[in-house]
Amino acid sequence: MDHRAMVKLSKRISRALRHEPYRLGLAPDGAGWVPVDDLLAALRTGRAELDAVVAGNDKQRFAVERGPDGVERIRANQGHSIPVDLGLPPAVPPDRLHHGTGAAALDSIRATGLDRGGRHHVHLSPDVETARRVGARRGGQVVVLTVDAAAMARDGHVFHRSANGVWLTDAVPARYLVD
Ligand code: HQG
């Protein structure tokens, strides 16, 4: 499979597992897991293609494992809009985390802080480079914000670290944005 085909399939899998499994006739369990065979059938794709996307994914978006019933299953590591409980334990974040966004959102973010929008959490990156890449998806000028995660944690905000190193929290009030 060439790179373009991998990206395309990765997007289809993301959409299926994070946003619209029900439209495809898939029934994720409470933690977002779907039997691999069900996903292959729903997307009309092959196992080799799926394995290539899971292994070659730039961001490790998906996890594949054998469930307690012996059936192989897959889920997205984060980014859902459907209700799922990923079961991630609270974790102590690094002192500083970063969030990349477009310049157009800056005034609003400075006024109301970062909100989770259509997802379950605000997504924060451990390093500036990753945050810059996330922000670049918006087009236009990229802004990388720094979050005082140490202060947030001290004040009782809960963080989780997803399986691919993205830091998740419910919201970032504006006062924790550091210049
Ligand atoms: C912005 C991708 C105005 C926020 C990425 C962002 C990431 C506000 C957008 C992951 C705001 C939401 C998540 C406020 C937040 N006013 N704008 N108060 N608060 N925003 O896509 O963090 O490829 O839901 O800055 O790489 O961009 O899907 O979040 O621009 O890891 O695996 O509202 O999604 O990963 O956009 O990206 P998103 P995100 P995947």
Side-chain angles (χ1 to χ4, degrees):
M1 221 183 346
D2 65 20
H3 181 68
R4 267 174 66 110
M6 297 247 292
V7 170
K8 200 170 159 207
L9 182 56
S10 172
K11 289 191 173 178
R12 291 180 66 219
I13 297 172
S14 286
R15 205 178 318 124
L17 296 176
R18 293 168 167 179
H19 307 304
E20 49 178 46
Y22 310 108
R23 201 179 65 78
L24 292 163
L26 295 169
D29 71 9
W33 294 104
V34 166
V36 171
D37 287 344
D38 291 2
L39 180 70
L40 296 178
L43 296 181
R44 296 196 177 81
T45 190
R47 181 62 199 242
E49 286 78 6
L50 180 111
D51 285 348
V53 167
V54 171
N57 204 265
D58 56 341
K59 287 179 59 185
Q60 308 245 307
R61 288 184 178 84
F62 313 112
V64 175
E65 63 168 41
R66 204 164 285 284
D69 54 2
V71 175
E72 245 193 325
R73 58 190 193 171
I74 182 169
R75 76 173 179 183
N77 282 325
Q78 79 283 304
H80 302 77
S81 57
I82 59 162
V84 289
D85 179 358
L86 294 173
L88 297 171
V92 179
D95 287 353
R96 292 280 189 270
L97 286 167
H98 306 278
H99 179 86
T101 189
L106 201 52
D107 287 350
S108 165
I109 292 171
R110 291 232 179 267
T112 62
L114 289 167
D115 56 61
R116 61 203 178 93
R119 307 194 193 238
H120 292 307
H121 297 100
V122 173
H123 289 222
L124 300 168
S125 310
D127 61 282
V128 173
E129 249 337 287
T130 307
R132 193 170 298 284
R133 273 201 301 279
V134 173
R137 289 154 56 246
R138 301 283 144 213
Q141 200 195 325
V142 179
V143 177
V144 175
L145 299 166
T146 299
V147 173
D148 188 349
M152 283 185 68
R154 224 166 24 238
D155 293 346
H157 291 268
V158 176
F159 289 81
H160 304 277
R161 185 180 178 280
S162 89
N164 64 352
V166 176
W167 284 87
L168 307 168
T169 193
D170 285 345
V172 178
R175 64 179 176 283
Y176 297 108
L177 298 172
V178 200
D179 283 321

